[in-house]
Amino acid sequence: MTTARRHPTLAVRDIDGAVEAVREAGGRLTRPRRAVLEALFATDEPVSAEQIAAGLDGRLTPTDLTSAYRNLEWLEDLGVVRHVHVGHGPGLYALAGERAREYLVCERCARVTAIDAAELARARAAIRTTTGFEAHFDHFPIHGLCAACAAR
Amino acid sequence: MTTARRHPTLAVRDIDGAVEAVREAGGRLTRPRRAVLEALFATDEPVSAEQIAAGLDGRLTPTDLTSAYRNLEWLEDLGVVRHVHVGHGPGLYALAGERAREYLVCERCARVTAIDAAELARARAAIRTTTGFEAHFDHFPIHGLCAACAAR
DNA sequence: TTTTTTGCAAAACCTTTGCAGTTGG
DNA sequence: CCAACTGCAAAGGTTTTGCAAAAAA
């Protein structure tokens, strides 16, 4: 789970697309590998390596935790997976190609809000203008006060 | 090192100001407590608990790591200290009252840029308008590509 | 068959906790 | 004196590493 170095996003629509990407990269489609991919396709929000290894809390085939971590890293290098840090807990993994999402975390009520990356276009433009940075919020979310908590 | 819950900033200009704040809070000025404060005043960038305990790599009186953590947490509750997460390493601590700084981390070259919080006013305004969030970037920095890395 | 990948155990890393002993006020 | 705090040791939570065994191609 590295911070620097970013992998080009490799969008895959379904398991078959992911399998193709794995093959194309010269990787093998092992059981844990498939299990990790199936878990990621079975959820619509970022999940921890532990949840993935547990088969999304029992709904899917469980896998060894170490294998989950290794495959998540491998798939992240491939560009198929990415991970985000929400708070101080474990990193949360998701498919990189999913409709680009970015996260907002309220530091008071701890609520996590996911929004479409497009919604932050103006903010990104402002950051680009004043700092030269091309910012994104899908790895470290935006922290602050949500509307409700800010109103007090 | 909690994420939710935010402590009101208590700006102190120097060690004496910090000592006064400690006293006012009914706290004792112990040796480790003073050592932590001295370390924070002796550096102009966020430092890890380990660096603080090591007396900023030998330049200051070393302290027990656990005491450093406990005092940092205590001082953070007081509002005198805050911490920021830059990448995947340990949390980095700084005086909360220092000229408000916010951080930008390049995910390619890993360079960390500190800027005055005021510079991000327009970005914050854009985020407020589109999401209702009152954002700040002194706990989780802004991630993205710096100008140099984005240019390629 | 050959190379990749697994599964387990163990370590690494950062941070917190328990507790008997020390110390600041 | 006595509550606040320390220092050590030990545990906790997350992630990585080593290595012999298993399995994909």
Side-chain angles (χ1 to χ4, degrees):
Chain A
M1 213 162 73
T2 350
T3 284
R5 168 175 62 126
R6 186 151 182 83
H7 319 291
T9 295
L10 208 173
V12 290
R13 328 112 207 91
D14 49 25
I15 294 267
D16 288 347
V19 169
E20 194 188 320
V22 167
R23 294 248 133 88
E24 211 129 305
R28 295 179 181 179
L29 188 73
T30 61
R31 197 143 82 81
R33 193 105 93 203
R34 172 174 275 277
V36 165
L37 287 168
E38 274 170 356
L40 291 172
F41 274 105
T43 180
D44 58 341
E45 52 183 26
V47 286
S48 69
E50 191 145 20
Q51 287 175 285
I52 291 170
L56 255 30
D57 310 301
R59 305 198 284 105
L60 270 47
T61 321
T63 319
D64 179 67
L65 220 208
T66 301
S67 289
Y69 271 114
R70 274 195 283 233
N71 277 298
L72 287 165
E73 189 188 1
W74 192 89
L75 291 166
E76 193 158 14
D77 279 347
L78 224 196
V80 167
V81 164
R82 64 189 173 76
H83 77 266
V84 58
H85 295 282
V86 170
H88 289 154
L92 304 182
Y93 297 81
L95 291 166
E98 275 192 337
R99 176 169 85 277
R101 297 286 224 161
E102 300 198 322
Y103 304 94
L104 299 136
V105 179
C106 179
E107 68 204 359
R108 171 178 272 278
C109 67
R111 212 171 34 135
V112 178
T113 309
I115 63 174
D116 259 53
E119 288 194 55
L120 290 171
R122 289 182 53 75
R124 238 185 304 279
I127 292 169
R128 188 186 312 116
T129 302
T130 53
T131 72
F133 258 73
E134 200 59 54
H136 65 89
F137 304 100
D138 56 359
H139 181 69
F140 279 158
I142 294 178
H143 252 232
L145 294 169
C146 69
C149 289
R152 0 160 325 165
Chain B
M1 214 163 71
T2 350
T3 286
R5 169 173 59 128
R6 184 153 184 80
H7 318 291
T9 296
L10 207 173
V12 290
R13 328 108 206 91
D14 50 23
I15 293 267
D16 289 347
V19 169
E20 194 187 320
V22 167
R23 295 248 132 89
E24 212 128 305
R28 295 180 180 178
L29 189 72
T30 61
R31 197 143 83 80
R33 192 105 93 202
R34 172 173 274 276
V36 165
L37 286 168
E38 275 169 357
L40 291 173
F41 274 105
T43 181
D44 58 340
E45 51 184 27
V47 286
S48 69
E50 190 146 19
Q51 287 175 285
I52 292 170
L56 255 30
D57 309 301
R59 305 197 284 106
L60 270 47
T61 321
T63 318
D64 178 68
L65 220 207
T66 301
S67 289
Y69 272 114
R70 273 194 283 233
N71 277 299
L72 287 166
E73 189 186 1
W74 192 88
L75 291 166
E76 193 158 14
D77 278 347
L78 225 195
V80 167
V81 164
R82 66 189 171 79
H83 77 267
V84 59
H85 294 280
V86 170
H88 290 154
L92 304 181
Y93 296 82
L95 292 166
E98 276 192 335
R99 175 169 88 276
R101 298 285 224 161
E102 302 199 321
Y103 305 92
L104 298 137
V105 180
C106 179
E107 69 204 359
R108 170 177 275 277
C109 67
R111 213 171 34 136
V112 178
T113 309
I115 64 174
D116 260 54
E119 287 194 55
L120 290 172
R122 289 183 51 76
R124 239 185 303 280
I127 292 168
R128 189 186 311 117
T129 302
T130 52
T131 72
F133 258 72
E134 202 58 55
H136 65 88
F137 305 100
D138 56 359
H139 181 68
F140 280 156
I142 293 178
H143 251 230
L145 293 169
C146 70
C149 288
R152 3 158 322 164

